[in-house]
Amino acid sequence: MKHVLSIAGTDPSGGAGAAADCKTFCAHGCFALNVITAVVSQNTQGVRGYMDVTPDLIADQIDAVFEDIDVDAVKIGMVSVPETIRVIADKLKQYTPRVVVIDPVMVATSGHRLLVPEAEQTLRDILLPLADVLTPNIPEAEVLTGKEIHSLADMEAVGREIAAMGAKAVLVKGGHRVEDATDLLFDGTDVHYFKGQRVESTSTHGTGCSLSSAIASNLANGMKLSDAVAAAKHYVFTGIAHAEPIGKGHGPIHHFYELYKKAGLI
């Protein structure tokens, strides 16, 4: 069993952040580890507030994991302040995990910028170059590059530009596209398109967290990158299509649908 570490914020409603990460790791047959960067008060209707964990405690959590357990992959989510970003980057350089997947949580679904400009710059300069795979959605890719995205050609251009900043591979997620939900992967050499069927559903809470965590799990399990992305996209699509109605807003995906189906529970 592979060991996959989530470095992310909490979600007491269980659909996003560290909760979604750990459910996704387990759904892929991996042992879930987690380091908390922020305690977040949120539910299916939105974020109410959060408190950042101190850099020293984040560092201590990371040390506690790596000094005791072999880590096969790391997935990084919410990193809201420069101090958090710097300490995580330092620890990644210290422990050099084999796989690092970063989901740059920069823009809320509402369009609200989640990071102050200094934190955005720190993420771009210090953390992004440590990514084996970076998974921005379209608004986040626009923030990273300062370019607007209106087409697949634009997605490819910004994917290449972000890779030039240091990320080994960039998956520009197309969930904000009107025509379809096609994602684009630039692996440093080639471009891969992953066509996606749009599902009419309100169960989309934590989809970005779950997708990046599925990619990290698949890579830990030995899949090549393009296959890992394709399988992760299918996993999230299935989770949305078969989600249970939970909460009054945008509910979570069904992280364990395939396992429950095989077990005869559904």
Side-chain angles (χ1 to χ4, degrees):
M1 180 180 289
K2 301 300 183 181
H3 312 141
V4 187
L5 170 63
S6 160
I7 302 179
T10 64
D11 176 7
S13 68
D21 294 346
C22 290
K23 289 177 183 178
T24 301
F25 300 158
C26 293
H28 288 78
C30 298
F31 186 82
L33 310 160
N34 64 273
V35 165
I36 300 302
T37 59
V39 179
V40 186
S41 175
Q42 66 173 308
N43 55 26
T44 66
Q45 300 179 80
V47 175
R48 301 154 67 103
Y50 68 91
M51 179 179 68
D52 291 303
V53 175
T54 65
D56 286 346
L57 187 52
I58 293 172
D60 202 32
Q61 292 179 78
I62 295 173
D63 288 337
V65 171
F66 278 93
E67 290 174 4
D68 186 43
I69 299 170
D70 292 329
V71 177
D72 297 292
V74 176
K75 178 268 165 112
I76 299 171
M78 181 180 181
V79 287
S80 56
V81 292
E83 295 78 12
T84 295
I85 296 168
R86 291 190 187 101
V87 74
I88 292 172
D90 288 343
K91 289 301 176 182
L92 291 178
K93 292 174 184 177
Q94 178 181 347
Y95 293 111
T96 61
R98 182 172 62 85
V99 173
V100 176
V101 178
I102 300 177
D103 183 21
V105 184
M106 305 174 74
V107 183
T109 303
S110 63
H112 179 70
R113 297 278 277 269
L114 299 174
L115 300 184
V116 298
E118 183 186 356
E120 290 179 358
Q121 191 64 43
T122 305
L123 187 149
R124 186 184 292 109
D125 294 344
I126 295 177
L127 196 58
L128 186 154
L130 302 177
D132 291 295
V133 187
L134 193 81
T135 63
N137 58 30
I138 286 176
E140 289 157 351
E142 290 178 332
V143 170
L144 286 169
T145 61
K147 307 285 180 61
E148 292 188 357
I149 298 174
H150 301 288
S151 65
L152 290 175
D154 293 339
M155 290 173 68
E156 179 178 343
V158 298
R160 290 179 179 275
E161 185 171 337
I162 295 170
M165 298 176 187
K168 293 180 182 176
V170 180
L171 178 70
V172 182
K173 298 177 293 188
H176 288 77
R177 284 172 54 80
V178 175
E179 303 91 334
D180 52 40
T182 297
D183 298 341
L184 182 144
L185 172 68
F186 176 62
D187 64 10
T189 303
D190 299 316
V191 174
H192 307 265
Y193 292 92
F194 301 89
K195 293 184 178 179
Q197 177 183 350
R198 188 171 297 282
V199 184
E200 293 301 323
S201 172
T202 59
S203 298
T204 55
H205 184 51
T207 49
C209 305
S210 302
L211 180 70
S212 53
S213 294
I215 293 170
S217 300
N218 290 334
L219 292 174
N221 284 325
M223 295 178 68
K224 71 176 186 179
L225 179 56
S226 58
D227 292 340
V229 171
K233 189 172 178 68
H234 174 74
Y235 169 76
V236 172
F237 175 83
T238 301
I240 295 172
H242 297 282
E244 295 290 330
I246 296 174
K248 299 176 181 178
H250 290 274
I253 72 171
H254 195 323
H255 288 92
F256 297 107
Y257 175 76
E258 294 288 358
L259 292 179
Y260 285 14
K261 184 178 179 181
K262 290 177 181 177
L265 298 176
I266 53 178

